[in-house]
Amino acid sequence: MGERRMRRWSPFRRDSLRQDAVAGVVLGVQSVPDGLATGLLAGVNPLSGLYAYMVGTVAGALATSSAFMAIQGTGAMAMIVVDVPAVHEASDPARALFTLSILTGVVMLLAGLFKLGSVLRFVPNAVMVGFINAVGVNIILGQLANFTGYAAEGANRVVRAFNTLVHPGELQWATVAVGAATIVLIILLERTRIGPMGLVVAVIATSAAAAAFGAEGVATLSDLGVVPSSLPLPQAPMLGLVPSLLIPAVSLAFVGLVQGASISATYPNPDGRYPDMSRDFSGQGIANISSGIFQGMPVGGSVSASALNKVAGARSRQSLIFAGIVMAVVIVAFGGVVGYIAMPALAGLLMLIGYRTINVARMRSVWRTGLVQKVVLVATFALTMIVPLQYAVLIGVALSVVLHVVRQSNQVVVKRQVHDGGHVVEVDPPATLPANEVVVLQPYGSLFFAAAPVFEGLLPAVEATSRNSVVILRLRGRSELGSTVMGILHRYAGSLAEVGSRLVIVSTNERIDGQLATSGVADLVGPEWIYRGDERVGAALRRAEADAAAWVAASQGRGGDEPERDRSA
């Protein structure tokens, strides 16, 4: 058994060597311009993007549960990095970036070790749709300077984009031509047999044309000093920057893990089983730590790269290792050629990626869902456009939580259960508790936090005339109650006792019994008037109703004095 398990985990499989090698070459070659472009998008040395693609792909292949998840830089993560001043304003921006990668990896690793995969289902779809679509717009606006050759000034990308539009005379038209030609070529070549390799051919062709024709003013990667000559060596992080990088690291981890989770749920492993999401979290963490050590930017599960890997024919995780080897060969053998890649060619590639990231249909679907989703969608989109992305996504999640609590608090309902022949009928509870009656109340909806005061307002008011009555509160189906609700029950039981009435609590469990005892509610109500529920639906309630009716009758007969209860029930 141990040998079979080891064989299943091993990244090397002879039976799929050819198919995985082909898929690895396709992904590896395509990842070279994509990695450089992602580094450019993040506002860092493009080589950090390429190194991240190489190291992250290999480390992820060895560490994740998913056999087909390509762990590389993503547009959303790059846009977060570009808005982190602690990286770009550091005394050593490169090492600050590597530190951010390692810290992001630590957050992801902890998420995996504590098995927080299930937490992602609480992330509202409206937040991610608003965020990802705004990222697409930001990618386009963020590359206008490289696409046009005009470095506009402004407080944010929207302002700088407007500045560019009103200064057409400042544009470098040769640069614009290279960028536009790249976009057109990618679109045309993708429709041929070249397929995904079209973007590689397009970037090479337009860069070569710019160099051959001596296009004036067209910047290249060599102008930035980007001429790789060897594989990256390990770098030590700047531990002093950890406090200022913690929030960006959490945001990066959040976005990366959400994108990675969609891959885990889409592609089953070769054995037919779906990957372990928590282990994929840990694997992405290891990939980020490895990327940071070897001079790379933060990485995460790439939906587009994973899809390309599968389309290219990958049969196992060894295709990803082949892709990493291909990138390493390009860096070592063709490093000098990389420097000739035209900046507007990469900008055109990124702008096309940004355009394809925008999904109007998904935004329209969320918009039609409801008011809360509309507010969250618009707020997240707007925040992503005007504030640093590291805060925008977290604010969007926080806003959705607040709106969810508000909505849940307004959905609390309390019904009175009455007997009608052989049926139990639910009606609205009385506004004021009448005298000498047994009133059975069944609450629906959340009773936590902001919902608790709403629940209190729905209880029948206790007046001086509300004597000798019993209010039975049925809690079946609830596993626990918050401290706020305990306070409400304590006040309500006290109000009933002051007019000679009482509160009875039905269908509790061990945890609720403990909460009632520690909050003092059990002492005020009386332990004998708290009924533990069991698997028999309605049994505890019937006993409570019978005891309550007897209590009311005896109380009337004694003029309101406390009657003795038959405890044998």
Side-chain angles (χ1 to χ4, degrees), residues 37-45 74-89 97 100 135 138-139 141-143 146 155 157 160 248 252 297-298 384 387-390:
T38 302
L40 183 66
L41 179 63
V44 299
N45 188 328
T74 69
M77 297 180 76
M79 293 305 297
I80 293 176
V81 173
V82 77
D83 281 341
V84 180
V87 168
H88 304 287
E89 297 173 5
L97 174 68
L100 178 60
V135 164
N138 271 314
I139 290 174
L141 300 184
Q143 288 305 303
N146 292 319
R157 297 179 190 89
R160 290 193 291 272
L252 284 163
M297 62 180 284
T384 305
V387 305
L389 271 70
Q390 57 181 304

Side-chain angles (χ1 to χ4, degrees), residues 441-460:
L441 299 179
Q442 174 69 62
Y444 294 99
S446 172
L447 297 183
F448 286 97
F449 307 120
V454 178
F455 164 66
E456 184 175 20
L458 295 174
L459 296 174

Side-chain angles (χ1 to χ4, degrees), residues 314-487:
R315 299 288 183 85
S316 73
R317 64 181 72 240
Q318 69 184 352
S319 64
L320 300 171
I321 297 176
F322 280 121
I325 293 173
V326 169
M327 285 183 264
V329 170
V330 171
I331 292 172
V332 174
F334 302 100
V337 178
V338 170
Y340 290 101
I341 294 178
M343 299 277 282
L346 293 179
L349 166 61
L350 286 169
M351 293 176 80
L352 184 59
I353 291 173
Y355 173 77
R356 290 173 173 175
T357 300
I358 301 171
N359 191 326
V360 177
R362 290 192 67 188
M363 294 184 72
R364 188 182 298 115
S365 175
V366 173
W367 184 264
R368 293 172 176 172
T369 305
L371 178 60
V372 172
Q373 287 74 21
K374 288 180 181 178
V375 173
V376 173
L377 175 69
V378 172
T380 305
F381 186 94
L383 287 168
T384 305
M385 294 301 302
I386 61 178
V387 305
L389 271 70
Q390 57 181 304
Y391 303 117
V393 65
L394 297 181
I395 294 174
V397 172
L399 176 63
S400 66
V401 170
V402 171
L403 291 176
H404 176 73
V405 170
V406 172
R407 183 175 59 177
Q408 288 297 311
S409 68
N410 292 326
Q411 292 180 342
V412 177
V413 176
V414 175
K415 290 293 184 179
R416 180 183 182 181
Q417 295 184 344
V418 297
H419 295 278
D420 182 10
H423 302 283
V424 175
V425 179
E426 289 190 336
V427 299
D428 291 333
T432 301
L433 181 66
N436 304 311
E437 285 196 25
V438 176
V439 178
V440 180
L441 299 179
Q442 174 69 62
Y444 294 99
S446 172
L447 297 183
F448 286 97
F449 307 120
V454 178
F455 164 66
E456 184 175 20
L458 295 174
L459 296 174
V462 180
E463 305 289 351
T465 57
S466 306
R467 295 186 58 79
N468 303 326
S469 290
V470 176
V471 175
I472 299 177
L473 184 64
R474 189 169 185 250
L475 299 176
R476 186 173 184 85
R478 299 186 183 276
S479 58
E480 62 177 323
L481 299 172
S483 59
T484 306
V485 173
M486 289 299 162

Side-chain angles (χ1 to χ4, degrees), residues 231-247:
L231 296 178
L233 297 175
Q235 288 279 347
M238 300 176 69
L239 298 181
L241 291 179
V242 168
S244 60
L245 294 176
L246 186 57
I247 291 179

